[in-house]
Amino acid sequence: RNRAIRTIFSIIFFIIVYLVTLVLSFSFVAAIFYSSTLLLQLVKHNRSGIYIIFLFLFIIFIAIILLMFIWMFFFRKYTVDRSGWLEISEEQQPKLFELIKSISKEIETNFPQKVYLGAGVDAMVFYDSNFRNLLFPSKENLMIGLGLVNSMSESELKAILAHEFGHFTQRS
């Protein structure tokens, strides 16, 4: 119970620090834009207006680059390379999906959103994550290597998939 409470406070602290950092970043960019407009007002009262205009454009350029960096980080999405994998459905592989469903019910975890077959002798869980996953959990995906399916008995495969489903429950 104490670990759960500490974990919840850690998550809340992380969200607060993240949001404060985001607000400070946008405030910094806004301050840069505002200061650059003040520079333009100096052009009216100064003879070296071309230098001030150049400085204004340079500051605006830096602010736009910072804004793009913040924006790209905020909406960046992490995806796993699936180029060598084949997405399968229950209609294509009913026996494998029956095994996966029985494991997910037995372990009491979520059924994967998508199931892939790969060429290797491995299995893995993965998530497509981005910023909104701070508020909403990401969907779990499962990849099973064909070499693993072909070289193991059903009980061995079930044990390996149960291990992978343990990652679902632990969100690791």
Side-chain angles (χ1 to χ4, degrees), residues 46-111:
N46 199 338
R47 290 185 205 173
S48 57
I50 190 75
Y51 298 115
I52 294 174
I53 290 174
F54 178 72
L55 186 60
F56 165 77
L57 292 174
F58 180 72
I59 290 173
I60 290 293
F61 175 74
I62 296 296
I64 289 172
I65 295 295
L66 281 172
L67 195 59
M68 285 176 25
F69 178 75
I70 293 167
W71 192 259
M72 286 172 38
F73 176 75
F74 192 69
F75 292 104
R76 182 178 61 182
K77 184 176 182 179
Y78 173 74
T79 56
V80 175
D81 179 26
R82 303 172 192 162
S83 59
W85 300 348
L86 174 68
E87 183 179 351
I88 58 172
S89 64
E90 189 169 4
E91 293 81 30
Q92 296 168 326
Q93 298 294 326
K95 188 173 181 182
L96 180 61
F97 272 79
E98 183 180 312
L99 177 70
I100 293 171
K101 282 181 184 177
S102 70
I103 295 170
S104 67
K105 285 180 185 175
E106 194 173 318
I107 296 178
E108 297 176 0
T109 189
N110 297 336
F111 188 80

Side-chain angles (χ1 to χ4, degrees), residues 6-25:
R6 274 190 266 152
T7 302
I8 290 171
F9 280 124
S10 297
I11 291 170
I12 291 170
F13 179 72
F14 172 77
I15 290 172
I16 289 171
V17 167
Y18 191 85
L19 290 176
V20 165
T21 304
L22 198 62
V23 166
L24 287 176
S25 299

